[in-house]
Amino acid sequence: MKQQGLTEHELRAWRVSFQMLELLRTRIEQQLQASSGLSNADYTVLALLSEAPDGRMRAYELGREAAWEKSRMHHQLTRMCKRGLVTRERCGSRGMEAVITAKGLTALEQAAPSHAQEVRRLVIDRLTPEELDRFAGIATTILENLRADQPPG
């Protein structure tokens, strides 16, 4: 079966979406680094842990929530442990929990206001409430498809 290429219309939508995502990721990363010294990955882990009961999550659950592979989460947690932002604690016979530290919580609390301001400046304030709803709906549809289409393991 011959694979169908993208039409000009489809290609334009794909390219502009991809460029937007890449530039937005870069801008958010730059803002976080400049204002707090945190990477986007640091911020993601700290935010997820801060919202978890007792500031702790099983490492595999944290990876699932961040949509990261196991090795990426392992290396990220190792770097953050060295900086005192999180700790790892045994959970059961084989499990491991990531736990946000006081230093990690302080770093997140200091980074959050300027991060939210930048997200607002770059995205939220550029869209009407209706456009924001449509944007969230489209992103949700694509995200659900990506999660359902994930390879096993």
Side-chain angles (χ1 to χ4, degrees):
M1 182 171 150
K2 183 179 177 186
Q3 193 152 9
Q4 181 180 355
L6 300 177
T7 67
E8 283 300 316
H9 182 248
E10 293 165 339
L11 190 57
R12 180 184 170 283
W14 168 245
R15 283 183 177 157
V16 73
S17 298
F18 190 80
Q19 290 170 353
M20 182 266 308
L21 291 170
E22 290 295 310
L23 189 53
L24 184 58
R25 180 190 312 263
T26 298
R27 295 278 179 86
I28 293 296
E29 186 80 34
Q30 289 169 340
Q31 179 276 323
L32 280 168
Q33 282 288 326
S35 68
S36 67
L38 295 176
S39 68
N40 192 43
D42 294 335
Y43 190 90
T44 297
V45 169
L46 293 174
L48 288 170
L49 288 175
S50 75
E51 296 168 357
D54 299 320
R56 60 180 58 235
M57 267 180 121
R58 296 283 298 256
Y60 81 89
E61 291 171 344
L62 188 57
R64 188 182 66 229
E65 287 298 312
W68 295 351
E69 293 180 6
K70 184 178 177 179
S71 64
R72 179 178 181 191
M73 182 56 69
H74 172 78
H75 291 297
Q76 181 64 35
L77 290 175
T78 298
R79 287 188 295 272
M80 292 177 76
C81 283
K82 288 178 183 175
R83 292 168 39 222
L85 299 171
V86 299
T87 60
R88 286 184 177 127
E89 295 180 8
R90 282 253 170 243
C91 175
S93 62
R94 295 176 29 136
M96 190 68 67
E97 285 185 325
V99 183
I100 193 169
T101 63
K103 182 178 179 180
L105 190 55
T106 298
L108 178 65
E109 288 169 348
Q110 290 174 348
S114 60
H115 175 65
Q117 182 179 2
E118 188 72 345
V119 169
R120 177 168 295 289
R121 184 181 78 80
L122 294 174
V123 180
I124 306 302
D125 289 346
R126 303 292 180 215
L127 302 173
T128 66
E130 295 78 20
E131 288 171 330
L132 189 60
D133 289 343
R134 284 196 313 269
F135 181 75
I138 291 166
T140 298
T141 298
I142 293 169
L143 184 58
E144 287 172 353
N145 182 62
L146 289 169
R147 286 180 174 153
D149 192 44
Q150 204 152 15

